[in-house]
Amino acid sequence: MTWARMSRPVTGRMVLWAFIVFFAVVALVNGTFILLSVKSFPGVETEDAYRKGLAYDSVIADDAARRERGWTVAITWRSSGPARGRLVVAVRAKDGAPLAGLAARALLRRPTHGGQDRTVRLSETAAGSYGADIALPGSGNWEVVLHLGLPGLAENQLRERLVVP
């Protein structure tokens, strides 16, 4: 049994069309990726980044002073429904005693979506315990940027990832 081979000769026109089709597919895929990335980018992440960059040495010094204080902070989420709950923050001094009288606020940011940030003021519910009831626009991953301060001291800032059911 013999196999008959039917082959067409490769011509310059075939090669030209193969190149045109190949690069058209590449351009179409790249255009799709560009469109998707531009539509999903929320914009500027940091307001006034240049000024903050110039003040970076003071940020490093403040961070070293905060580490010397030795505060321990525990952040928990107590769910009361879908994307609803209570943010609870417990703050203890270096010796383990609860820290009372702090000015506390929290910024909740959605790492994957812009425009859903929430800032809440945390009220002291017990010595060293601060909290607030929060309704978020959706469940999932949230970043908590916690600001804690005492009069006359540089503000403590802590970032922690939180999963909201």
Side-chain angles (χ1 to χ4, degrees):
M1 178 180 214
T2 62
W3 291 89
R5 278 180 141 192
M6 293 189 64
S7 64
R8 293 174 42 185
V10 177
T11 63
R13 183 173 291 203
M14 288 175 66
V15 172
L16 174 66
W17 279 109
F19 273 111
I20 290 172
V21 169
F22 172 77
F23 284 109
V25 169
V26 168
L28 180 67
V29 170
N30 284 341
T32 302
F33 284 143
I34 289 169
L35 181 67
L36 290 173
S37 67
V38 168
K39 287 176 87 175
S40 65
F41 180 62
V44 176
E45 175 64 26
T46 302
E47 296 296 325
D48 203 11
Y50 179 73
R51 184 184 55 80
K52 288 178 181 177
L54 290 177
Y56 192 64
D57 287 339
S58 66
V59 170
I60 292 172
D62 289 345
D63 189 49
R66 281 189 283 277
R67 274 189 263 121
E68 267 185 42
R69 280 186 219 127
W71 293 1
T72 57
V73 179
I75 300 173
T76 56
W77 176 263
R78 295 182 184 150
S79 183
S80 62
R84 296 181 155 285
R86 182 163 184 81
L87 181 68
V88 178
V89 177
V91 185
R92 300 210 174 267
K94 197 180 241 183
D95 62 1
L99 271 172
L102 295 174
R105 65 184 164 86
L107 168 66
L108 285 93
R109 296 190 320 187
R110 194 82 182 257
T112 57
H113 297 81
Q116 295 185 352
D117 298 354
R118 298 285 188 267
T119 301
V120 293
R121 195 153 296 287
L122 303 174
S123 57
E124 191 168 4
T125 56
S129 182
Y130 303 85
D133 292 320
I134 304 170
L136 297 170
S139 58
N141 284 319
W142 287 84
E143 181 184 39
V144 178
V145 182
L146 187 62
H147 299 270
L148 301 170
L150 280 172
L153 291 176
E155 188 177 68
N156 269 14
Q157 186 177 15
L158 172 78
R159 293 175 191 270
E160 190 169 313
R161 195 57 67 102
L162 184 68
V163 178
V164 175

